[in-house]
Amino acid sequence: MSWSTKTMGKFTLSYRPFTLEMRHVFTVASFSRTTTPVVLIQLTFDGITGYGEASMPPYLGETQESVIAFLNKVDLSLFDSPFQTEEILSYIDAIALKNTAAKAAIDIALHDLLGKLMGQPFFKIWGLNPNNIPPTSYTIGIDTKEMIHKKVKEAEAFKILKVKLGLDTDKMIIDTIRSVTDVPLCADVNQGWKNKEEALEMTHWLAEKNVVFLEQPMPKEQIDDMAWLTERSPIPTIADEGCQRYNDILSLQGAYSGINIKLMKCTGMREAKKMAELARALNMKVMLGCMTETSCAISAAAQLAPLVDWADLDGALLIGNDIFDGMHVKNGMCVLPDRPGIGIIAKQ
């Protein structure tokens, strides 16, 4: 599909919808899918273009149509320079409630543009050392024994695997993986457990299976049950659906051991960095996650990765039609290209 373009003073914004095709059917506790809708954007200033992306998995409640409607409300003619970053992104955030993926697309493109104007990758602009990036996990969705075997074999280069749980097949999935590999695991339940006593029993069983942390084990509304579970769990608990943005973090202290930051939830790189710094100040663990995304949004998130305890940046590896070259994974480790901005090159 062709690009739609609008000029706003010194800025030009272009966008087009795109559909990501999954390498395997992707199943979590609440749904399965084979594609993910995204909207790709380009933000140009003074002949330099930054790339951005909005990815819309079902639970965010955004669509390609809602993202495009949001982008059509944006008027950057109010600003003379992309270096008015705080003002621009505060303006973008105030246009409408929610629409966090649409806002993230603008934020990512703006950071890419700024880095290109400065001639530096953003991890260098932020003074971060890419050698401090933890190994990224690779996600194994809920599946049959045969497909789990296949997926684990495909992921043999990874030093940690992320396992989707939350149905009555949880123990089968873990045991199947353990019949193939003994690498550390992290488990993402996607709010699938409802009973705190049963959840606690599972945390002890998972700890014995070398599961190093547990992501969103219970519904985000059951905050008291989560606090009860976190206090007793032998492994850390991480808020994902329960932690969307910066202002959520203070209320989660004590209820979870840490938070999972995703650009599509929190409106992009600017807020993600602030969230990581606040969580650290509160002595909470920090995980950096992703949706199913191209290497555009993945490479943007990776600029922050030296700040976190755990990285889950495999989104572009789960699709078969990535149209960017950017951060890549070598032997389970994230390798950031030394290119300006977020470090990507468009393949088409």
Side-chain angles (χ1 to χ4, degrees):
M1 191 173 290
S2 60
W3 293 87
S4 299
T5 300
K6 65 175 184 175
T7 300
M8 304 165 288
K10 298 179 180 180
F11 293 89
T12 300
L13 177 65
S14 303
Y15 55 84
R16 69 177 175 115
F18 187 67
T19 299
L20 306 183
E21 299 166 0
M22 310 291 290
R23 293 185 184 275
H24 298 293
V25 176
F26 190 72
T27 300
V28 300
S30 55
F31 59 84
S32 297
R33 67 178 191 270
T34 57
T35 61
T36 299
V38 303
V39 174
L40 305 173
I41 77 165
Q42 297 179 359
L43 183 62
T44 301
F45 178 88
D46 199 21
I48 304 296
T49 296
Y51 294 98
E53 174 181 5
S55 173
M56 284 81 66
Y59 85 87
L60 274 185
E62 291 183 76
T63 63
Q64 290 172 328
E65 292 73 22
S66 71
V67 168
I68 289 169
F70 181 89
L71 295 175
N72 283 328
K73 297 176 185 176
V74 173
D75 181 11
L76 296 181
S77 65
L78 304 169
F79 306 97
D80 294 323
S81 165
F83 287 96
Q84 294 170 263
T85 313
E86 289 292 321
E87 291 176 48
I88 292 172
L89 293 178
S90 294
Y91 156 74
I92 294 294
D93 198 16
I95 290 175
L97 292 172
K98 299 185 178 179
N99 295 105
T100 56
K103 294 171 182 179
I106 297 285
D107 170 284
I108 292 167
L110 182 60
H111 281 86
D112 192 32
L113 172 61
L114 288 169
K116 288 172 177 174
L117 289 169
M118 288 185 272
Q120 294 292 338
F122 241 88
F123 70 86
K124 288 188 177 179
I125 293 169
W126 280 334
L128 302 177
N129 182 353
N131 294 328
N132 294 333
I133 299 176
T136 181
S137 54
Y138 182 84
T139 302
I140 309 295
I142 295 171
D143 218 318
T144 62
K145 285 185 179 182
E146 293 74 22
M147 281 304 297
I148 291 169
H149 273 290
K150 184 176 188 296
K151 291 176 181 178
V152 173
K153 289 291 188 184
E154 288 176 0
E156 62 185 3
F158 288 80
K159 296 174 172 60
I160 183 169
L161 297 178
K162 177 175 176 174
V163 185
K164 293 288 188 176
L165 301 178
L167 300 179
D168 57 7
T169 53
D170 289 353
K171 289 190 175 182
M172 177 276 289
I173 290 172
I174 297 294
D175 285 336
T176 300
I177 293 171
R178 281 288 168 252
S179 72
V180 181
T181 179
D182 59 359
V183 299
L185 305 177
C186 51
D188 185 0
V189 188
N190 289 114
Q191 309 183 86
W193 299 343
K194 306 300 190 287
N195 180 283
K196 64 183 182 181
E197 286 84 7
E198 292 175 5
L200 180 60
E201 184 179 326
M202 277 297 294
T203 64
H204 285 278
W205 186 83
L206 291 171
E208 293 173 359
K209 300 291 183 177
N210 195 21
V211 172
V212 294
F213 69 88
L214 191 61
E215 195 178 339
Q216 201 63 54
M218 304 187 73
K220 62 182 181 180
E221 296 82 11
Q222 294 179 222
I223 191 75
D224 291 340
D225 289 342
M226 271 306 316
W228 182 92
L229 179 64
T230 296
E231 184 180 2
R232 294 161 177 80
S233 174
I235 53 179
T237 60
I238 304 298
D240 181 9
E241 288 90 342
C243 182
Q244 305 288 317
R245 301 198 57 180
Y246 180 89
N247 288 338
D248 296 332
I249 297 174
L250 276 175
S251 66
L252 301 177
Q253 189 180 21
Y256 297 87
S257 312
I259 61 169
N260 184 1
I261 300 169
K262 295 179 180 176
L263 301 192
M264 297 302 139
K265 293 191 302 183
C266 75
T267 74
M269 296 168 67
R270 177 187 71 149
E271 186 158 323
K273 183 169 182 285
K274 291 179 179 180
M275 289 176 73
E277 291 167 345
L278 176 58
R280 280 272 180 261
L282 296 173
N283 200 30
M284 296 177 76
K285 295 289 187 181
V286 181
M287 177 185 178
L288 181 63
C290 63
M291 308 301 183
T292 309
E293 300 162 353
T294 72
S295 287
C296 175
I298 294 294
S299 299
Q303 306 299 313
L304 300 156
L307 290 173
V308 308
D309 298 290
W310 298 297
D312 179 34
L313 297 177
D314 63 344
L317 302 177
L318 303 177
I319 63 173
N321 59 337
D322 192 359
I323 56 171
F324 293 96
D325 176 76
M327 187 280 284
H328 64 278
V329 178
K330 183 177 182 180
N331 296 324
M333 302 301 295
C334 298
V335 180
L336 286 171
D338 193 1
R339 301 180 191 137
I342 61 174
I344 62 169
I345 296 173
K347 296 179 183 177
Q348 62 184 60

